[in-house]
Amino acid sequence: MLEKSMNGLVRNSKGHWVATHMGQRVTFTEQRFGEAAAVLARRVLLAMQAGTYDELRDNTLLKQSYSRELAAKGVVNGMVAPTQNGI
């Protein structure tokens, strides 16, 4: 079990990546996001630490039809970077 006062990034035995900072907590599961779960959690943690984390923006990005890898790249800056072929 994770403590509420913990700050940082942790992966638990169930494959859940949890980013926590100053009372905020966001979880990404490997079951849903695959290997991108770790990347997403790291990006969210960095945004939390910078004071720029926007849950609504991040949720919107993840519900779009982009690949999870592209969504992971766009979590911090709010933009999904296009691939080389423009898709």
Side-chain angles (χ1 to χ4, degrees):
M1 180 163 269
L2 301 170
E3 296 180 22
K4 289 184 180 181
S5 63
M6 184 194 79
N7 286 319
L9 181 68
V10 67
R11 180 189 181 274
N12 69 20
S13 62
K14 294 181 181 180
H16 296 182
W17 285 89
V18 182
T20 57
H21 182 73
M22 299 187 67
Q24 291 179 299
R25 177 177 166 167
V26 178
T27 303
F28 295 94
T29 64
E30 291 175 352
Q31 181 179 3
R32 179 173 181 198
F33 296 101
E35 292 179 11
V39 175
L40 289 165
R42 283 187 188 99
R43 298 284 185 172
V44 166
L45 178 60
L46 291 173
M48 286 177 177
Q49 292 170 335
T52 59
Y53 176 65
D54 182 345
E55 183 177 5
L56 179 60
R57 180 186 66 209
D58 294 348
N59 285 340
T60 302
L61 276 173
L62 293 173
K63 290 178 183 175
Q64 298 299 318
S65 60
Y66 303 108
S67 72
R68 291 182 179 125
E69 289 76 19
L70 285 178
K73 291 177 183 177
V75 167
V76 170
N77 63 17
M79 300 293 292
V80 175
T83 60
Q84 289 179 346
N85 63 6
I87 295 174

